[in-house]
Amino acid sequence: MVSEQEAIPASAEPSAISTWQGFEAFATTPPPAPPVAGVPRRSVDERLAYHSAFVTIRTPAVDALARNVRTLMILGRHQQVTARPSLIVTGPATTGKTTALLEVGRVCHLAHTARSPHPGIGHTAQVPVAYVLVPPAASAKTLAAEFARYLGIPTTARMTQAQITAAVCATYAQAGVRLVLIDEIHRLNPHTSTGAETADLLKDLTERIGATFVYAGIDVTRSELFTGIRGAQLAGRASLIDFGAFPARLGKQEPFKELIALMEQALDLENHKAGSLPRLASYLHERTGGKIGSLSRLVRQAALSAITDGSERITKASLEAIQLDHLAEEHYRPRTTNRPTHRRSGR
């Protein structure tokens, strides 16, 4: 059984969220708090730090994910014969999948530790949540090693994949892992021999670890993961939650404008005029493609610039001056190739 003192070896990266020590630090650190009326204004450094981290917006997709995870954890609690039902979070890049995954993990961790107080140093530490990243070009052995690394399970190069897997399953069961979050699942391709073995490992782990598994990846339904026999097995066990881009309009509603308003309410700027950002909804939707990740980055960078240049407000001009991620910039400012025109010479 892994004790708190043994959970993370000295060679591990203590701040990495894909280790138990790092995830626990993330889960127990209070999230950024928006400004409160009547409370003395925070210093410049405090406000810079606040806008760098910023708040997590509770979108309908985040609520749906949290609700489904809670239900599936209850459903699978007493299931012993087959693998528990799982969830797949899919969507384009920069649509908030990882943020939502981590937020659900944080809630699960805090709920568990509230019911079961930390035993303290030298005692067995219960680990309610595991967060694992699929490594690039993952093999079954390297993915098993990532599961081992999360709990600091010692491995050596001479160990076989089966030996590492056995150690992982035994330790995860002893640690009481209830929720396993697997990110970057799109890196797997079950149609290669290596990818097939890795997909089989995941299936094996879902059957041997008594936890609910949640996978997240970019456009998973369009990837190789959902095709063939292995894809059918995964699709047959997993519910799907789609984190798509926010539409400008949905019937009589304006989801993207509502999202902008929530972000604006969380700003901590001295001269920003309320309602000015929602009025730029059309521009912001065109600029970000309706993706929450790109919008959040744009608003945060604009807020940081507003603080450092002393204007303390966000305008269209200040937003236009910011260079966004390449995907968003290509959407907003597509590159054009200047082709020379050739004149026909007279004869």
Side-chain angles (χ1 to χ4, degrees), residues 164-245:
I164 298 173
T165 302
V168 164
C169 292
T171 308
Y172 274 55
Q174 290 173 337
V177 176
R178 289 168 167 75
L179 178 64
V180 177
L181 308 173
I182 304 178
D183 211 349
E184 307 289 352
I185 193 69
H186 56 271
R187 289 175 172 171
L188 294 183
N189 180 1
H191 292 277
T192 66
S193 58
T194 300
E197 292 173 359
T198 311
D200 286 342
L201 169 67
L202 280 179
K203 180 176 178 292
D204 187 31
L205 292 174
T206 61
E207 293 173 348
R208 296 172 64 181
I209 297 175
T212 297
F213 279 63
V214 181
Y215 311 93
I218 297 173
D219 293 332
V220 175
T221 53
R222 298 180 185 178
S223 73
E224 305 287 348
L225 277 173
F226 268 2
T227 60
I229 296 175
R230 290 179 175 87
Q233 287 180 327
L234 180 61
R237 292 179 175 182
S239 303
L240 195 70
I241 295 183
D242 195 351
F243 275 63

Side-chain angles (χ1 to χ4, degrees), residues 12-316:
E13 303 164 4
S15 61
I17 203 166
S18 55
T19 65
W20 162 238
Q21 187 182 40
F23 188 88
E24 184 182 40
F26 156 77
T28 55
T29 300
V36 179
V39 175
R41 180 168 293 279
R42 292 179 276 204
S43 68
V44 168
D45 286 343
E46 288 172 333
R47 291 190 296 125
L48 288 173
Y50 165 72
H51 288 103
S52 296
F54 213 44
V55 297
T56 298
I57 304 296
R58 295 287 300 195
T59 65
V62 173
D63 288 336
L65 176 60
R67 185 170 58 252
N68 277 274
V69 167
R70 184 167 58 248
T71 302
L72 289 185
M73 290 180 71
I74 296 171
L75 181 64
R77 188 174 296 165
H78 303 290
Q79 187 169 326
Q80 303 293 334
V81 180
T82 59
R84 291 160 175 76
S86 56
L87 276 173
I88 294 178
V89 180
T90 185
T94 72
T95 50
K97 297 180 298 298
T98 295
T99 299
L101 203 66
L102 293 173
E103 184 63 22
V104 168
R106 183 210 299 271
V107 171
C108 178
H109 174 92
L110 294 176
H112 173 79
T113 52
R115 293 191 302 268
S116 306
H118 205 286
I121 301 242
H123 295 274
T124 298
Q126 290 292 297
V127 181
V129 180
Y131 176 73
V132 177
L133 285 170
V134 176
S139 66
K141 186 173 182 179
T142 59
L143 182 57
E146 284 299 304
F147 274 83
R149 190 175 75 88
Y150 183 81
L151 284 185
I153 302 169
T155 61
T156 66
R158 293 185 178 182
M159 292 178 69
T160 65
Q161 178 251 311
Q163 289 173 324
I164 298 173
T165 302
V168 164
C169 292
T171 308
Y172 274 55
Q174 290 173 337
V177 176
R178 289 168 167 75
L179 178 64
V180 177
L181 308 173
I182 304 178
D183 211 349
E184 307 289 352
I185 193 69
H186 56 271
R187 289 175 172 171
L188 294 183
N189 180 1
H191 292 277
T192 66
S193 58
T194 300
E197 292 173 359
T198 311
D200 286 342
L201 169 67
L202 280 179
K203 180 176 178 292
D204 187 31
L205 292 174
T206 61
E207 293 173 348
R208 296 172 64 181
I209 297 175
T212 297
F213 279 63
V214 181
Y215 311 93
I218 297 173
D219 293 332
V220 175
T221 53
R222 298 180 185 178
S223 73
E224 305 287 348
L225 277 173
F226 268 2
T227 60
I229 296 175
R230 290 179 175 87
Q233 287 180 327
L234 180 61
R237 292 179 175 182
S239 303
L240 195 70
I241 295 183
D242 195 351
F243 275 63
F246 278 70
R249 285 193 173 275
L250 190 62
K252 294 183 179 180
Q253 296 181 318
E254 297 179 272
F256 191 70
K257 190 173 185 179
E258 294 169 5
L259 176 64
I260 295 169
L262 290 173
M263 285 191 180
E264 185 182 64
Q265 290 171 15
L267 291 174
D268 194 356
L269 299 174
E270 294 180 358
N271 301 325
H272 185 78
K273 184 180 293 186
S276 58
L277 281 187
R279 282 194 288 273
L280 297 174
S282 296
Y283 161 75
L284 288 170
H285 195 274
E286 182 183 3
R287 184 79 194 275
T288 64
K291 295 179 179 178
I292 188 173
S294 297
L295 176 66
S296 175
R297 176 175 170 179
L298 181 60
V299 171
R300 287 185 292 125
Q301 284 190 239
L304 294 174
S305 296
I307 294 172
T308 54
D309 67 20
S311 65
E312 293 285 347
R313 63 194 181 101
I314 298 175
T315 64
K316 185 176 179 179

